[in-house]
Amino acid sequence: MNLDIALWLSQDAITNGAVYALLAIALVLVYTVTRIIFVPQGEFISFAALSLASLQAGQVPGTVYLLIAGGILVVAADSVGLPRAVALQRLPGRLIRQMALPLAAGGIAWWSASRPDDLWLQIVATLAIVTPLGPMVYRLAFQPIAHASVLVLLIVAVAVHYVLTGMGLVFFGGEGLRSNPYSSLSFNVGVLNVTAQSLLIVFASVTLMAALWFVFERTLYGKALNATAINRTGAQLIGVSPSFSGQLSFALAAFIAAISGLLIAPTTTVYYDTGFLISLKGFVGATVGGMASYPLAVVGSLLVGFLEAGSSFWWSAFKDSLVFTLIVPVLLWRSLATPHSEGDERQ
Amino acid sequence: MKARLPPMIAIAAIAAAPLLLSDYYIILMNYIGLASLVALGLVLLTGVAGLTSFGQAAFVGLGAYATAVVTTRYGWSPWLGLAVGMTLTATAALFLGFITLRLSDQYLPLGTIAWGISIYFAFGNLVFLGEHSGIPGIPPLSLFGWTIDTGWRLYLVIWLVVLLALLAARNLLDSRIGRAIRTLNGHARMAESFGVDTGRLKIIVFVYSALLASLAGWLYAHFLRYVSPSPFGINAGIDYLFMAVIGGSGHIWGAVAGASILTLMREWLKDILPHLLGRNGNYEIIVFGLLVVLLLHRTSSGLMPFLVRMLPGGRLLRPVAAAPLPQRPRLARGETLLAIDRVSKSFGAIGAVRELSFELKAGGIVGLIGPNGAGKSTVFNLATGLLPVTAGSIMFRGQRIERLGSREIAELGIARTFQHPNLLADRSALENAAIGAHLRGEAGLIAASLRLERAEEARLRDEAARQLERVGLGANLHDAAGSLPLGSQRILEIARALCADPLLLLLDEPAAGLRHLEKQALAALLRDLRDDGVSILLVEHDMNFLMGLADRVLVMEFGRLIADGPPHAVQSDPAVLEAYLGVAA
Amino acid sequence: MSRREAPALLVARDVTVAYGKVAAVCGVSFDIRLGEVVSIVGPNGAGKTTLLAGLMGLLPLRGEVERFGKGAVPPPTVEQLVRAGMGLIPERRELFATLSVEDNLRLGGFDRWRQGERDGATDLANIYALFPQLRERRHQQAATLSGGERQMLAMGRALMARPKLLLLDEPSLGLAPLVTREIFRIIDRLRTEGVSILLVEQNASAALQLADYAYVMESGSFVLEGPAAELARNERVIEAYLGLAPVEGPRKLQRETAKQQV
């Protein structure tokens, strides 16, 4: 391998690593706030990429119907257990609150499908469809068992992943889709051919990370989420309910996943199950930092990017499996570098 | 004496099944049996020890491929295939466990994902292993000339193995080593301070669960007579985890329940959905996922607790009296027990303990008091090896201990209680106390699985019961520790420490939250222990409590010793009055 | 009881709270009136903490509870109660250990801020005036505070929500006498500022000196109630909870502490 190739691979590694880092941040966020390993993240990526491609093909994506059905289910779930009179009395208000966003997103999607050349509208429509699915999934699948063990939450997360993958297949079929490039510009820096596409990815990732940092360090909402991650009972006592922080963190995570989906949509053919593998790499990055540290999650994700770029050079056919195999030496190194382990105490 | 009826009914049903079921269901039952074996390993690993593995399917594959290669490529006996598979599995699991479990519990899932994906990739790409088309022509098993080649013969073998594995797992959990395994789920520090080698035990449990998976793989290869990579991928690994959780991962029968439900659900969905929806599609996975979510919404700890609740409970008795365990020889009164010499401990820039020195002689009750944040609990953590000292030395009976781990210190005869009770909340007081006696037994995992350690176990349980009776919890032997009031939980902690037969007992605020009469009972107990040759150092806030009890009181403030002497002298010491009451005397 | 004429902030009738499978509180009835400190004393395990958790919506509760004159169907959540003006300072404090003291306090006012109230800075200044130590440590992580400072921070955080009714669980637990005295002084001051307080305490002598009215709880039910001064003279209470230690020295100390608290 010569320097040119190394540079070219590094560009690839950083571009991919930036996306993995975003996903890893979302995983750490959801895990620390809700103790849920956000397995369905991959479907949100696929949904975003495929919804964008559908809109560009002039079609209203099936995810719109999922969003509307989800809104109705949320209203139904909120009404269960209430006395009938109370439920009926609150129904109109709830319908307006819960259905406004899905119906608006549906409207934007219809409008956008009729304007296949309006890229900004497509992006807005995609974000409007995918982001509200996050809190919906939390409300329906996780909120009723918010106190269950990490393991049970994980199993439910995998089950939700199955459901959404199945739906992805129903909505978009088994054929992959690729959206139009945002820009076909590229320019040479020294020996390196840099595409505007990869610059955009890195720029968008860094901007989003900075925005997230600002939210967590400087806004009371971000601090409230952080507080939930630190002490759940304490958060309840200041008026932050687990459902509030759960839905908020899922909304953020779905938004991040949707952005990631939009970023990769023009770079590769996306299938209904593509997102899962990408998300799994974000997960590997996040676990390098113990699912607890944002900076380490970013470092871990860049590491995954480089491992992947390296293995795609040497064994391109097996690059996906090899990324995971190469984690073993990383673990071994961490294990030997760490003098002793501290058992997790749950007291 | 738990009700034995339900397992008997389950066993009878399994025995009768071949007579009633069609061939199709016999084969399905065989799959369920194999999955139950793998899920049982996960019940121990995940449900009991709290460690998650996604790689069990890969261990099944290792067992299956090992015997496939050994029997088809070399023509050797399937039994040799079993031996090879087990050896390979144990090696792989040891390696994985060694590199991940030393770090932190969440690295095992990551390590097993990496392992699961890699081995699947190896199966599918190595020419030697037949690549994606796999290895056909595996011979059937035969036992004493009886060839096991039909569905129902396999059924008998598979389910016999499953029942034996269930029996071994039940025995294991009801033993000294089983109690230690239960502490792995969030109580490792406590367990270490009673001599449990938690790091080693985690690896052992992981290897045990991997071997169960490998055994299932061996049976699978000789049942299907053909292996290919697809059943051993990461999805299959996740499926086994589903089975353990849905069955109820804390119960050994949960493995069978989970394996049955999942396998049947999948089969039925495949049959029913196309009829219901009138078309073929990939709706199974959607409906399957929804059913799992709904099921866990109904009963988030799985099916077994739900089923167990409907069954009658048995009457629980005190363990029968057994020969007492040997005791350490008591020390002569006045011998130097603990010598703390210029010990310092800093957390970052904060000095929690500064140049602290004092000695304890055998046979006394010494109180350690001081305002909050004075460093009292830190002294306990340093003396029990939970924290390393920054500088200085600690000697116990003339031996340096400041560099030893909690385990070694426990072995020397120091036992402690924790400021916040550190108990297995859903296990009985008796089991919790018996954890304290861990170092007084030696039976391991194999002896426990085969019930070869019953004599020792009886003595341990009797000791636990005796100590609980001594501290006044004789009526609560079988109550879940978490259901006891906080004060009683602290007392239970003392009983657990006593089970370790300590020479020095460190009690961290034992009287906090006790009412007056209970405090008096506690004081009487501590005097009784002192007369019995146990030396006691206790951190306490309640001056009244100490005044009538301690022979000597040490007062700490800001990490230093500011007074040391008999209670009454200390009480009128100007420095103490200033620290405690804020009045300059 | 004729002196208790102020309007009731909280009325509980026949309240039962279960912790796990065991009903830790069985059928208790009581009320708290405006501007009162009401204390519940009793041995460990009597169900005091469980009762507070039930009142605050952290555990499911059966029976009738009227808070601020309103009934409770469906049962209100913790967050609704915080908004309605109830605050709980739990036995374990439940602080945000890795956040700074000031962030902990500001988060105490999160719900008011979310409601559009922008007077958090004034509240913060008031809290710092009440607990000058917290101002000194405002940039420190909550985890680095001493036990007494933690209790102050927990109180400060709860006060940031401007509660009308504060539930305090064992504020003196684990604190040295000097710090305890300071905490009780502040509780007394809060009462004069119009915050009503339900005080659960194992330190019965201190609690009874401070409270206006008190209940004695044993095994999940109330066995005695009355004006706190009367209960403090009740023989049964003296014997069971005030603890007459046989040694002369410590009693003297305790009395001194007590005098300074009054």
Side-chain angles (χ1 to χ4, degrees), chain B residues 393-413:
Chain B
S393 77
I394 305 176
M395 312 264 267
F396 183 70
R397 303 184 67 198
Q399 186 185 343
R400 303 270 299 245
I401 59 167
E402 77 274 4
R403 298 275 161 233
L404 298 184
S406 339
R407 268 198 321 275
E408 291 103 321
I409 291 175
E411 247 167 278
L412 294 175

Side-chain angles (χ1 to χ4, degrees), chain B residues 121-152:
Chain B
F121 150 83
F123 289 151
N125 290 283
L126 292 180
V127 179
F128 178 62
L129 298 179
E131 294 178 293
H132 281 286
S133 43
I135 304 175
I138 301 168
L141 293 175
S142 70
L143 266 177
F144 311 114
W146 186 60
T147 308
I148 301 158
D149 51 359
T150 61
W152 73 269

Side-chain angles (χ1 to χ4, degrees), chain B residues 143-183:
Chain B
L143 266 177
F144 311 114
W146 186 60
T147 308
I148 301 158
D149 51 359
T150 61
W152 73 269
R153 285 181 182 182
L154 271 158
Y155 175 93
L156 289 182
V157 173
I158 288 172
W159 280 95
L160 188 64
V161 171
V162 171
L163 289 176
L164 289 176
L166 284 167
L167 186 66
R170 192 205 65 176
N171 293 346
L172 174 61
L173 287 180
D174 182 29
S175 75
R176 165 181 172 272
I177 217 80
R179 287 187 291 272
I181 293 173
R182 290 188 196 280
T183 66

Side-chain angles (χ1 to χ4, degrees), chain B residues 14 29 31-48 159 162-163 165-167 169-170 173 212 239-264 301-305 307-308:
Chain B
I14 290 166
M29 283 293 286
Y31 278 114
I32 291 173
L34 293 172
S36 301
L37 269 184
V38 187
L40 179 62
L42 279 177
V43 163
L44 295 174
L45 181 72
T46 306
V48 180
W159 280 95
V162 171
L163 289 176
L166 284 167
L167 186 66
R170 192 205 65 176
L173 287 180
L212 278 174
D239 252 18
Y240 290 124
L241 209 52
F242 264 65
M243 290 173 188
V245 170
I246 287 172
S249 57
H251 294 253
I252 53 170
W253 281 93
V256 180
S260 312
I261 284 273
L262 252 90
T263 313
L264 293 174
S301 45
L303 282 172
M304 276 317 279
L307 294 176
V308 167

